Amino acid sequence: MRDQTDTPPAGTRPDAPASPLAPRPPAPVSVPAAPGPGFGRAGAAPVTPAPGGTPPAPAAPRPVGEVRSWPRSFADRLTTPLPGIRAYARLAREGAFRPGPDGLRGIPDLPYGPAPLPAAGPGTLCATWAGHASWVLRIGGLTVLTDPVWSRRIIGTPARMTPVGVRWEELPPVDAVVISHNHYDHLDAPTLKRLPRHTPLFVPAGLARWCRRRGFTRVTELDWWESAELGGVRFDFVPAHHWSKRSLIDTCRTLWGGWVLTDTRAVTPRKVYFAGDTGYGHWFGEIGRRHPGIELAMLPIGAYAPRWWLSDVHADPEEAVRACLDVGARRMAPMHWGTFVLSAEPVMEPLHRVRAAWARAGLPRDDLWDLTIGGSRAW
Protein backbone atom coordinates (compact mmCIF):
# COMPACT_ATOMS: atom_id res chain seq x y z
CA MET A 1 0.00 0.00 0.00
CA ARG A 2 1.14 3.53 -0.76
CA ASP A 3 2.47 5.55 2.18
CA GLN A 4 -0.12 7.40 4.19
CA THR A 5 1.31 10.90 3.77
CA ASP A 6 -0.65 11.63 0.64
CA THR A 7 -2.52 8.61 -0.68
CA PRO A 8 -5.15 9.94 -3.09
CA PRO A 9 -8.88 9.27 -3.04
CA ALA A 10 -8.80 9.01 -6.80
CA GLY A 11 -8.05 6.83 -9.70
CA THR A 12 -11.10 6.61 -11.89
CA ARG A 13 -11.55 10.12 -13.29
CA PRO A 14 -10.63 10.51 -16.98
CA ASP A 15 -7.44 12.40 -17.72
CA ALA A 16 -7.53 16.18 -18.02
CA PRO A 17 -8.24 17.65 -21.45
CA ALA A 18 -5.33 18.18 -23.82
CA SER A 19 -5.50 21.96 -23.35
CA PRO A 20 -5.54 22.41 -19.56
CA LEU A 21 -6.51 26.09 -19.77
CA ALA A 22 -9.51 25.44 -21.96
CA PRO A 23 -12.80 26.23 -20.21
CA ARG A 24 -14.53 23.39 -18.42
CA PRO A 25 -18.26 23.21 -17.89
CA PRO A 26 -19.00 24.32 -14.35
CA ALA A 27 -19.68 21.54 -11.89
CA PRO A 28 -22.96 21.76 -10.00
CA VAL A 29 -22.45 23.12 -6.52
CA SER A 30 -24.74 23.31 -3.55
CA VAL A 31 -23.97 25.92 -0.93
CA PRO A 32 -25.32 25.80 2.63
CA ALA A 33 -27.90 28.34 3.69
CA ALA A 34 -25.58 29.09 6.60
CA PRO A 35 -22.03 27.85 7.16
CA GLY A 36 -21.53 25.28 9.84
CA PRO A 37 -21.12 21.63 10.64
CA GLY A 38 -24.32 20.61 8.85
CA PHE A 39 -23.05 21.36 5.35
CA GLY A 40 -23.26 18.35 3.08
CA ARG A 41 -25.01 16.09 5.57
CA ALA A 42 -28.48 14.67 5.74
CA GLY A 43 -30.84 17.26 7.12
CA ALA A 44 -28.94 20.26 5.77
CA ALA A 45 -30.79 22.76 3.62
CA PRO A 46 -28.55 23.33 0.58
CA VAL A 47 -29.37 26.02 -1.92
CA THR A 48 -27.99 26.38 -5.43
CA PRO A 49 -26.83 29.92 -6.16
CA ALA A 50 -27.49 31.50 -9.51
CA PRO A 51 -24.30 32.15 -11.50
CA GLY A 52 -22.88 35.50 -10.46
CA GLY A 53 -25.38 35.78 -7.62
CA THR A 54 -24.70 37.58 -4.39
CA PRO A 55 -22.62 35.42 -2.04
CA PRO A 56 -24.16 34.62 1.32
CA ALA A 57 -23.30 36.97 4.16
CA PRO A 58 -20.42 35.57 6.22
CA ALA A 59 -21.25 34.25 9.66
CA ALA A 60 -19.88 35.97 12.73
CA PRO A 61 -16.36 34.84 13.67
CA ARG A 62 -16.14 31.89 16.04
CA PRO A 63 -14.43 32.40 19.41
CA VAL A 64 -10.71 31.64 19.47
CA GLY A 65 -10.03 28.42 21.38
CA GLU A 66 -13.67 27.27 21.36
CA VAL A 67 -14.20 23.60 22.25
CA ARG A 68 -16.57 21.95 19.76
CA SER A 69 -18.08 18.59 18.85
CA TRP A 70 -17.98 17.07 15.38
CA PRO A 71 -19.32 14.02 13.55
CA ARG A 72 -17.18 10.92 13.40
CA SER A 73 -16.44 11.25 9.68
CA PHE A 74 -16.17 13.92 7.00
CA ALA A 75 -16.23 11.42 4.13
CA ASP A 76 -19.32 13.17 2.77
CA ARG A 77 -17.07 16.12 1.84
CA LEU A 78 -14.98 14.07 -0.59
CA THR A 79 -15.10 15.36 -4.17
CA THR A 80 -14.52 11.85 -5.50
CA PRO A 81 -14.58 8.40 -3.88
CA LEU A 82 -11.53 6.87 -2.27
CA PRO A 83 -9.55 4.52 -4.53
CA GLY A 84 -10.48 0.90 -4.71
CA ILE A 85 -8.47 -2.30 -4.92
CA ARG A 86 -8.15 -2.07 -8.71
CA ALA A 87 -6.57 1.39 -8.50
CA TYR A 88 -4.05 0.22 -5.91
CA ALA A 89 -3.28 -2.85 -8.00
CA ARG A 90 -2.68 -0.73 -11.09
CA LEU A 91 -0.37 1.61 -9.17
CA ALA A 92 1.63 -1.33 -7.86
CA ARG A 93 1.78 -2.88 -11.33
CA GLU A 94 3.01 0.35 -12.96
CA GLY A 95 5.38 1.20 -10.10
CA ALA A 96 4.90 4.94 -10.71
CA PHE A 97 5.76 6.07 -7.19
CA ARG A 98 8.86 8.21 -7.82
CA PRO A 99 10.66 9.88 -10.75
CA GLY A 100 13.15 7.83 -12.71
CA PRO A 101 16.88 8.60 -12.74
CA ASP A 102 16.45 11.27 -15.42
CA GLY A 103 13.78 13.03 -13.37
CA LEU A 104 15.99 13.09 -10.28
CA ARG A 105 18.93 14.64 -12.10
CA GLY A 106 17.25 18.02 -11.72
CA ILE A 107 17.74 18.09 -7.93
CA PRO A 108 20.86 20.32 -8.13
CA ASP A 109 18.82 22.83 -10.16
CA LEU A 110 16.04 23.23 -7.59
CA PRO A 111 15.76 26.93 -6.67
CA TYR A 112 17.18 27.38 -3.17
CA GLY A 113 18.10 30.89 -2.06
CA PRO A 114 17.67 31.62 1.64
CA ALA A 115 17.93 35.29 2.59
CA PRO A 116 17.14 37.37 5.68
CA LEU A 117 13.45 38.03 6.18
CA PRO A 118 12.57 41.53 4.96
CA ALA A 119 11.07 44.05 7.36
CA ALA A 120 7.28 44.02 7.39
CA GLY A 121 5.35 46.59 9.39
CA PRO A 122 1.62 46.48 10.23
CA GLY A 123 0.63 47.85 6.80
CA THR A 124 2.88 45.51 4.82
CA LEU A 125 2.16 42.01 3.55
CA CYS A 126 5.12 39.69 3.17
CA ALA A 127 5.32 36.07 2.04
CA THR A 128 8.44 33.93 2.50
CA TRP A 129 8.54 30.39 1.11
CA ALA A 130 10.22 28.01 3.56
CA GLY A 131 9.61 25.04 1.25
CA HIS A 132 6.76 22.68 0.30
CA ALA A 133 3.56 24.22 1.78
CA SER A 134 5.36 26.06 4.59
CA TRP A 135 5.18 29.85 4.41
CA VAL A 136 6.11 32.63 6.79
CA LEU A 137 3.36 35.21 6.28
CA ARG A 138 3.45 38.67 7.79
CA ILE A 139 0.00 40.24 7.65
CA GLY A 140 -1.65 42.88 9.81
CA GLY A 141 1.40 42.96 12.07
CA LEU A 142 1.17 39.18 12.76
CA THR A 143 3.61 36.44 11.81
CA VAL A 144 1.70 33.36 10.65
CA LEU A 145 3.15 29.98 9.68
CA THR A 146 1.30 27.77 7.21
CA ASP A 147 1.62 23.97 7.43
CA PRO A 148 5.03 24.27 9.10
CA VAL A 149 7.35 21.37 8.31
CA TRP A 150 10.93 22.04 9.43
CA SER A 151 11.82 18.35 9.74
CA ARG A 152 14.41 16.84 7.42
CA ARG A 153 12.30 13.73 6.89
CA ILE A 154 8.63 12.78 7.13
CA ILE A 155 7.06 9.34 7.33
CA GLY A 156 6.98 7.40 4.08
CA THR A 157 9.18 9.63 1.90
CA PRO A 158 12.88 10.16 1.25
CA ALA A 159 14.63 13.00 3.05
CA ARG A 160 14.12 16.56 1.80
CA MET A 161 15.68 17.40 -1.54
CA THR A 162 16.26 20.97 -0.38
CA PRO A 163 16.87 22.38 3.10
CA VAL A 164 14.27 24.55 4.82
CA GLY A 165 14.51 28.08 3.43
CA VAL A 166 14.30 29.83 6.81
CA ARG A 167 16.28 28.69 9.83
CA TRP A 168 14.02 28.21 12.83
CA GLU A 169 16.25 30.44 14.92
CA GLU A 170 15.75 33.29 12.45
CA LEU A 171 11.96 33.32 12.68
CA PRO A 172 10.30 36.27 14.39
CA PRO A 173 7.94 35.37 17.25
CA VAL A 174 5.14 33.26 15.76
CA ASP A 175 1.71 34.75 16.41
CA ALA A 176 -0.37 31.98 14.81
CA VAL A 177 -0.23 28.76 12.79
CA VAL A 178 -2.71 27.53 10.19
CA ILE A 179 -2.98 23.86 9.23
CA SER A 180 -4.70 22.73 6.03
CA HIS A 181 -5.08 19.01 6.85
CA ASN A 182 -3.43 16.16 8.70
CA HIS A 183 -1.18 14.46 6.11
CA TYR A 184 2.37 14.15 7.39
CA ASP A 185 3.84 16.56 4.86
CA HIS A 186 1.49 19.28 6.18
CA LEU A 187 1.06 18.45 9.87
CA ASP A 188 4.48 17.76 11.36
CA ALA A 189 4.48 17.00 15.09
CA PRO A 190 8.24 17.56 15.61
CA THR A 191 7.96 21.06 14.14
CA LEU A 192 4.92 22.00 16.21
CA LYS A 193 6.74 20.82 19.34
CA ARG A 194 9.19 23.68 18.81
CA LEU A 195 6.42 26.23 19.41
CA PRO A 196 5.27 27.59 22.77
CA ARG A 197 2.14 25.72 23.78
CA HIS A 198 0.14 28.96 24.00
CA THR A 199 0.67 29.64 20.27
CA PRO A 200 -2.76 30.00 18.59
CA LEU A 201 -3.40 27.17 16.14
CA PHE A 202 -6.14 27.38 13.49
CA VAL A 203 -7.02 23.91 12.25
CA PRO A 204 -9.73 22.00 10.32
CA ALA A 205 -12.75 20.58 12.09
CA GLY A 206 -11.89 17.52 14.15
CA LEU A 207 -8.17 18.22 14.50
CA ALA A 208 -8.15 20.18 17.78
CA ARG A 209 -8.11 17.02 19.87
CA TRP A 210 -4.80 15.97 18.26
CA CYS A 211 -3.32 19.39 19.02
CA ARG A 212 -4.59 19.59 22.57
CA ARG A 213 -3.15 16.16 23.35
CA ARG A 214 0.22 17.73 22.56
CA GLY A 215 -0.30 20.53 25.03
CA PHE A 216 -1.57 23.38 22.86
CA THR A 217 -4.07 25.51 24.75
CA ARG A 218 -5.39 27.93 22.09
CA VAL A 219 -6.69 25.71 19.29
CA THR A 220 -9.49 26.94 17.03
CA GLU A 221 -11.06 24.37 14.71
CA LEU A 222 -13.35 25.52 11.93
CA ASP A 223 -15.71 24.09 9.38
CA TRP A 224 -15.75 25.27 5.77
CA TRP A 225 -16.84 28.91 5.40
CA GLU A 226 -16.29 29.64 9.09
CA SER A 227 -13.84 32.19 10.46
CA ALA A 228 -12.12 33.42 13.61
CA GLU A 229 -10.19 36.61 14.33
CA LEU A 230 -6.90 37.30 16.06
CA GLY A 231 -5.18 40.67 16.41
CA GLY A 232 -7.06 42.29 13.54
CA VAL A 233 -6.53 39.38 11.13
CA ARG A 234 -9.47 37.18 10.10
CA PHE A 235 -8.81 33.50 9.41
CA ASP A 236 -11.41 32.01 7.03
CA PHE A 237 -11.39 28.26 6.44
CA VAL A 238 -12.42 27.39 2.87
CA PRO A 239 -12.97 24.11 0.98
CA ALA A 240 -10.38 22.11 -0.93
CA HIS A 241 -10.52 19.07 -3.21
CA HIS A 242 -8.57 16.70 -1.00
CA TRP A 243 -8.98 14.32 1.96
CA SER A 244 -7.39 13.38 5.28
CA LYS A 245 -5.67 10.37 6.81
CA ARG A 246 -2.91 9.90 9.35
CA SER A 247 -3.19 6.23 10.28
CA LEU A 248 -4.87 3.04 9.09
CA ILE A 249 -8.06 3.75 11.03
CA ASP A 250 -8.74 7.49 10.72
CA THR A 251 -9.60 8.09 7.06
CA CYS A 252 -11.52 11.39 6.72
CA ARG A 253 -12.01 11.68 10.48
CA THR A 254 -10.84 15.31 10.24
CA LEU A 255 -11.61 17.94 7.63
CA TRP A 256 -9.29 19.49 5.03
CA GLY A 257 -9.22 22.88 3.32
CA GLY A 258 -7.41 26.15 2.71
CA TRP A 259 -7.26 29.53 4.42
CA VAL A 260 -8.04 33.11 3.42
CA LEU A 261 -6.26 35.55 5.73
CA THR A 262 -7.54 39.13 5.80
CA ASP A 263 -6.02 42.21 7.37
CA THR A 264 -9.26 43.76 8.56
CA ARG A 265 -7.64 46.92 9.89
CA ALA A 266 -6.48 48.12 6.49
CA VAL A 267 -8.57 50.85 4.84
CA THR A 268 -9.37 48.30 2.16
CA PRO A 269 -9.13 44.79 3.67
CA ARG A 270 -6.08 42.96 2.30
CA LYS A 271 -6.35 39.24 1.57
CA VAL A 272 -4.08 36.30 0.84
CA TYR A 273 -5.20 32.75 0.03
CA PHE A 274 -3.29 29.66 1.13
CA ALA A 275 -4.79 26.70 -0.71
CA GLY A 276 -3.12 23.95 1.29
CA ASP A 277 -3.24 20.73 -0.74
CA THR A 278 -5.92 20.38 -3.38
CA GLY A 279 -6.95 19.14 -6.77
CA TYR A 280 -8.70 21.36 -9.28
CA GLY A 281 -12.45 21.77 -9.10
CA HIS A 282 -15.49 23.94 -8.58
CA TRP A 283 -14.54 25.22 -5.11
CA PHE A 284 -12.07 27.77 -6.46
CA GLY A 285 -14.78 29.78 -8.18
CA GLU A 286 -16.90 29.75 -5.03
CA ILE A 287 -13.95 30.86 -2.90
CA GLY A 288 -13.37 33.79 -5.24
CA ARG A 289 -17.06 34.69 -5.16
CA ARG A 290 -17.15 34.77 -1.37
CA HIS A 291 -13.73 36.37 -0.95
CA PRO A 292 -13.23 38.95 -3.69
CA GLY A 293 -10.05 40.98 -3.86
CA ILE A 294 -7.45 38.29 -3.07
CA GLU A 295 -4.01 39.80 -3.66
CA LEU A 296 -1.94 36.61 -3.57
CA ALA A 297 -2.89 32.95 -4.06
CA MET A 298 -0.40 30.35 -2.80
CA LEU A 299 -1.28 27.31 -4.89
CA PRO A 300 0.19 23.78 -5.13
CA ILE A 301 1.77 22.78 -8.44
CA GLY A 302 3.56 19.49 -7.63
CA ALA A 303 2.93 15.83 -6.73
CA TYR A 304 0.63 15.31 -9.72
CA ALA A 305 1.94 12.27 -11.64
CA PRO A 306 0.55 9.89 -12.67
CA ARG A 307 -2.61 11.89 -13.42
CA TRP A 308 -4.97 8.92 -13.38
CA TRP A 309 -3.99 8.44 -9.73
CA LEU A 310 -3.57 11.98 -8.42
CA SER A 311 -5.67 14.31 -10.57
CA ASP A 312 -8.56 14.48 -8.10
CA VAL A 313 -6.45 15.60 -5.15
CA HIS A 314 -3.35 17.36 -6.56
CA ALA A 315 -3.55 20.13 -9.13
CA ASP A 316 -0.99 20.11 -11.88
CA PRO A 317 0.69 23.40 -12.92
CA GLU A 318 -1.84 24.22 -15.63
CA GLU A 319 -4.75 23.61 -13.27
CA ALA A 320 -3.09 25.78 -10.63
CA VAL A 321 -3.00 28.69 -13.05
CA ARG A 322 -6.66 28.12 -13.85
CA ALA A 323 -7.43 28.01 -10.12
CA CYS A 324 -5.68 31.36 -9.66
CA LEU A 325 -7.95 32.82 -12.33
CA ASP A 326 -11.01 31.21 -10.74
CA VAL A 327 -10.36 32.75 -7.32
CA GLY A 328 -9.68 36.11 -8.95
CA ALA A 329 -6.26 36.52 -7.34
CA ARG A 330 -3.97 39.20 -8.71
CA ARG A 331 -0.80 37.17 -8.13
CA MET A 332 0.15 33.52 -7.74
CA ALA A 333 2.95 31.96 -5.69
CA PRO A 334 3.57 28.29 -6.59
CA MET A 335 4.26 25.82 -3.77
CA HIS A 336 4.12 22.09 -2.92
CA TRP A 337 7.05 21.16 -5.15
CA GLY A 338 10.83 20.99 -4.95
CA THR A 339 11.01 19.75 -1.35
CA PHE A 340 9.79 16.16 -0.95
CA VAL A 341 9.63 13.43 -3.58
CA LEU A 342 5.95 12.44 -3.41
CA SER A 343 5.14 11.37 -6.97
CA ALA A 344 6.54 10.49 -10.38
CA GLU A 345 7.02 13.76 -12.30
CA PRO A 346 10.60 15.02 -12.84
CA VAL A 347 11.54 17.27 -9.96
CA MET A 348 12.01 20.44 -12.07
CA GLU A 349 9.00 19.89 -14.31
CA PRO A 350 6.43 21.74 -12.14
CA LEU A 351 8.36 25.01 -12.38
CA HIS A 352 8.82 24.79 -16.15
CA ARG A 353 5.17 23.94 -16.72
CA VAL A 354 3.73 26.64 -14.46
CA ARG A 355 5.84 29.31 -16.17
CA ALA A 356 4.66 28.12 -19.56
CA ALA A 357 1.01 27.95 -18.47
CA TRP A 358 1.21 31.47 -17.00
CA ALA A 359 2.63 32.81 -20.26
CA ARG A 360 0.00 31.01 -22.37
CA ALA A 361 -2.71 32.59 -20.24
CA GLY A 362 -1.34 36.01 -21.15
CA LEU A 363 -0.79 37.01 -17.52
CA PRO A 364 1.87 39.54 -16.44
CA ARG A 365 5.16 37.79 -15.71
CA ASP A 366 5.72 39.95 -12.63
CA ASP A 367 2.55 38.52 -11.05
CA LEU A 368 3.91 34.97 -11.01
CA TRP A 369 5.95 34.86 -7.82
CA ASP A 370 7.94 31.70 -8.48
CA LEU A 371 10.15 32.21 -5.46
CA THR A 372 13.27 30.34 -4.54
CA ILE A 373 13.00 28.31 -1.35
CA GLY A 374 13.85 30.96 1.22
CA GLY A 375 12.79 33.80 -1.08
CA SER A 376 10.41 36.58 -0.04
CA ARG A 377 8.12 39.19 -1.55
CA ALA A 378 6.76 42.17 0.38
CA TRP A 379 4.11 44.52 -0.93
Side-chain angles (χ1 to χ4, degrees), residues 1-2 7-8 10-12 82-97 306 308-309:
M1 180 178 291
R2 180 181 163 86
T7 311
T12 57
L82 293 167
I85 294 176
R86 289 184 180 179
Y88 279 103
R90 177 181 173 184
L91 185 70
R93 184 170 63 252
E94 295 181 359
F97 298 98
W308 69 264
W309 175 251

Side-chain angles (χ1 to χ4, degrees), residues 4-340:
Q4 299 302 324
T5 61
D6 240 347
T7 311
T12 57
R13 199 182 76 173
D15 289 339
S19 176
L21 290 178
R24 288 182 179 179
V29 51
S30 295
V31 181
F39 175 67
R41 297 183 177 86
V47 295
T48 303
T54 303
R62 308 288 307 197
V64 172
E66 178 183 18
V67 177
R68 306 177 67 178
S69 298
W70 301 102
R72 184 172 176 81
S73 173
F74 292 93
D76 58 332
R77 309 294 185 92
L78 290 169
T79 306
T80 55
L82 293 167
I85 294 176
R86 289 184 180 179
Y88 279 103
R90 177 181 173 184
L91 185 70
R93 184 170 63 252
E94 295 181 359
F97 298 98
R98 302 285 184 261
D102 288 344
L104 293 174
R105 288 196 184 102
I107 290 178
D109 300 323
L110 291 170
Y112 179 73
L117 295 176
T124 301
L125 273 61
C126 183
T128 302
W129 189 31
H132 202 53
S134 301
W135 292 85
V136 184
L137 299 178
R138 264 83 63 75
I139 179 171
L142 301 185
T143 296
V144 181
L145 301 184
T146 71
D147 288 358
V149 180
W150 261 249
S151 296
R152 181 174 177 269
R153 184 185 295 273
I154 57 173
I155 292 177
T157 69
R160 302 176 76 107
M161 295 183 287
T162 47
V164 183
V166 181
R167 293 179 64 236
W168 189 263
E169 296 76 16
E170 295 174 355
L171 287 173
V174 176
D175 297 298
V177 173
V178 298
I179 300 295
S180 63
H181 66 298
N182 72 354
H183 287 160
Y184 283 91
D185 58 323
H186 295 259
L187 178 62
D188 184 50
T191 300
L192 291 182
K193 287 179 181 178
R194 298 185 180 197
L195 293 165
R197 297 305 186 265
H198 63 267
T199 304
L201 306 183
F202 295 87
V203 304
L207 196 53
R209 182 180 178 185
W210 185 95
C211 300
R212 292 186 179 119
R213 285 203 307 264
R214 285 153 181 81
F216 288 94
T217 58
R218 300 184 67 192
V219 186
T220 305
E221 53 185 346
L222 299 177
D223 201 346
W224 290 348
W225 310 123
E226 291 185 336
S227 68
E229 290 190 6
L230 177 73
V233 175
R234 190 175 71 239
F235 296 75
D236 284 270
F237 190 52
V238 296
H241 297 273
H242 206 60
W243 69 307
S244 69
K245 186 182 183 69
R246 203 167 172 88
S247 73
L248 295 175
I249 59 172
D250 67 348
T251 302
C252 296
R253 294 282 180 85
T254 64
L255 197 51
W256 53 91
W259 294 90
V260 176
L261 275 59
T262 305
D263 178 1
T264 62
R265 293 178 179 173
V267 175
T268 299
R270 307 191 67 188
K271 303 178 185 180
V272 297
Y273 167 48
F274 168 66
D277 203 355
T278 180
Y280 179 78
H282 66 275
W283 284 126
F284 293 109
E286 184 64 16
I287 291 166
R289 195 171 75 96
R290 295 189 185 220
H291 296 281
I294 293 172
E295 297 183 31
L296 174 66
M298 292 159 279
L299 288 159
I301 65 167
Y304 52 78
R307 293 311 286 149
W308 69 264
W309 175 251
L310 290 167
S311 62
D312 292 310
V313 292
H314 285 166
D316 65 23
E318 293 79 13
E319 290 170 329
V321 172
R322 186 188 297 123
C324 182
L325 296 173
D326 289 352
V327 301
R330 178 178 174 182
R331 308 172 184 92
M332 173 180 161
M335 64 171 186
H336 204 267
W337 77 280
T339 304
F340 297 107

